[in-house]
Amino acid sequence: MRIVAVNVGRAVDAEWAGKLGRTAIDKAEARGRIEVGPNGLAGDERADVEHHGAPDHAVYSYAREDYDWWQRELGRELRNGCFGENLTTEGLDVNGAVIGERWRVGTAVIEVTGPRVPCLVFRNWLGEKGWIKRFTQAGRVGAYLRVVELGDLGSGDAVEIVARPEGSVTVTESFRAYHGDKELLRRLLAVPGHSPVWDEVADRVLGGRRA
């Protein structure tokens, strides 16, 4: 299990990027060692801080294997970083990782917090008809992570799973919880230190009935 690409990008103006009119989804591969700070990778920027600015969205990871699957489905080449991820992995089941799972990459430790939920900017960036629906149905969503220990990392670094909470839900299952699976959401809410965003999801999905 390793990192095959580390990707960062700066926000740029884009008419197609929704109401904000800016996006940093276009990531380019970074060379050398990259510092991992409390809010993500050095040299990376998030334009939509309202939806992606929290520390629980500090790093986004996507598997090269899922890119390869999408290439066959879409009939087009998809380079590393094309989906806006910071870490492109190989040999790691990103969607099978569980909420609260911790990875050591280089000298940093990062923790899985939830799935990527496709948005208008992502759809417009890919330019694929029905993209949000297709991405949702495929369930190959990738994982957001928070930074637990600062450090540095680079392309080629191994990914070591250093903690995997029992009873947690996978990234794929958390995506289903986000979309209304009440049983999975209740399991997720029992994970110690879960992202506050899941409490907001619970207000929407469960209302006042969390037991």
Side-chain angles (χ1 to χ4, degrees), residues 1-9 27-34 36 41 44 59-65 67 78-92 94 103 105 110 145 153-159:
M1 300 184 294
R2 68 188 185 103
I3 302 298
V4 295
V6 179
N7 314 294
V8 298
K27 309 292 187 189
E29 188 168 352
R31 304 295 180 182
R33 307 302 297 174
I34 307 300
V36 182
L41 306 187
D44 192 50
V59 178
Y60 176 50
S61 179
Y62 202 78
R64 185 62 244 180
E65 291 86 350
Y67 268 133
L78 297 169
R79 61 172 174 79
N80 296 331
C82 184
F83 283 9
E85 83 279 4
N86 301 113
L87 304 179
T88 313
T89 67
E90 182 180 73
L92 175 65
V94 175
W103 306 344
V105 187
I110 52 182
L145 306 102
L153 52 76
S155 178
D157 282 354
V159 178

Side-chain angles (χ1 to χ4, degrees), residues 108-156:
V109 175
I110 52 182
E111 179 182 299
V112 176
T113 59
R116 193 244 194 89
V117 178
C119 63
L120 176 68
V121 172
F122 190 27
R123 183 197 71 184
N124 292 347
W125 168 245
L126 262 292
E128 292 286 343
K129 185 177 180 179
W131 177 243
I132 291 178
K133 182 178 180 180
R134 294 182 69 177
F135 190 80
T136 298
Q137 290 177 336
R140 299 170 181 262
V141 293
Y144 278 115
L145 306 102
R146 65 164 66 111
V147 177
V148 178
E149 295 182 14
L150 309 185
D152 63 71
L153 52 76
S155 178

